[in-house]
Amino acid sequence: ANEEIGFVTGFGIPSLAGEDPSQAPIQPLKPDLKNFDTLISTEYSLREINLMEEEIPEGLECMIIAGPTERLSDYDLFKIDQFLMKGGSLALFLDSHSIYLPQGSQYGQSQEPAYIPKNTGLEELLAHYGITLERSFVLDEESYKQQQRGANGGIVETPVYYAPIITDEQISDDLRFMANIPQLITLYAAP
């Protein structure tokens, strides 16, 4: 049997089954976890855990919290802290902001995305362990370049500064799972 990993649900965390597209005029940008679920399920068995309704199972060694948007209660944070103090491992995929993308625009007008800082409570828990999630984004001139055909028919490249390119020499080979990754592009990453 595959090793079991807990996957925390609720708190605005995206579903492993994927998200239904919303028709709301403005909606938060959410990661789609279908591919993640497919890839991780080849090696591990994911067990969904609703912290608001249940305790963390005894014997569970690892738990994932991916992309919460809502604040966890003090008791939920206490459960996570106790899990860590008993030697459990926690994989956190956190964003510093919720990003709201307009779904359409009026004729001749385009709306900018809205960036709202998150406060899930996990930030304070991490600070207790010496980890800080900065409320900012990494911007870099070495970034992905979007290519579009210009009005004169030529190709116009526009740098996307919030999509830095991380090259092979900047990726540590000390981590086995990173050893064969030659390049990464991150989106809206916090420092």
Side-chain angles (χ1 to χ4, degrees), residues 121-184:
L122 288 164
E123 298 83 3
E124 290 90 355
L125 180 64
L126 286 175
H128 176 73
Y129 287 96
I131 301 168
T132 304
L133 179 67
E134 298 288 339
R135 293 192 192 279
S136 56
F137 294 120
V138 174
L139 304 178
D140 199 318
E141 290 181 355
E142 293 297 320
S143 63
Y144 175 78
K145 291 175 181 56
Q146 185 177 28
Q147 295 184 343
Q148 293 178 314
R149 191 164 299 282
N152 63 358
I155 299 296
V156 177
E157 281 193 347
T158 306
V160 182
Y161 296 118
Y162 59 83
I165 295 176
I166 302 167
T167 57
D168 191 32
E169 55 273 6
Q170 298 163 318
I171 298 173
S172 172
D173 291 338
D174 296 343
L175 300 170
R176 205 174 44 173
F177 63 89
M178 298 293 288
N180 295 316
I181 297 178
Q183 188 179 76
L184 286 173

Side-chain angles (χ1 to χ4, degrees), residues 24 27-28 31 33 38 42 44-45 62 65-66 83 86 94 98 103 107 116 118 131 148 150 160 162 166 178 186 189:
Q27 65 176 352
L33 298 183
T38 301
T42 61
Y44 301 96
S45 172
C62 182
I65 303 178
F83 172 74
K86 291 178 185 172
L94 301 178
S98 290
Q103 291 305 297
Y107 179 75
I116 311 298
K118 287 186 182 182
I131 301 168
Q148 293 178 314
V160 182
Y162 59 83
I166 302 167
M178 298 293 288
T186 61

Side-chain angles (χ1 to χ4, degrees), residues 79-121:
K79 290 180 192 178
I80 294 167
D81 193 43
Q82 290 297 301
F83 172 74
L84 289 170
M85 291 178 70
K86 291 178 185 172
S89 296
L90 185 62
L92 293 170
F93 299 91
L94 301 178
D95 297 309
S96 62
H97 290 72
S98 290
I99 302 169
Y100 290 85
L101 298 177
Q103 291 305 297
S105 58
Q106 300 292 340
Y107 179 75
Q109 298 175 335
S110 65
Q111 289 180 284
E112 293 295 319
Y115 305 92
I116 311 298
K118 287 186 182 182
N119 185 6
T120 65

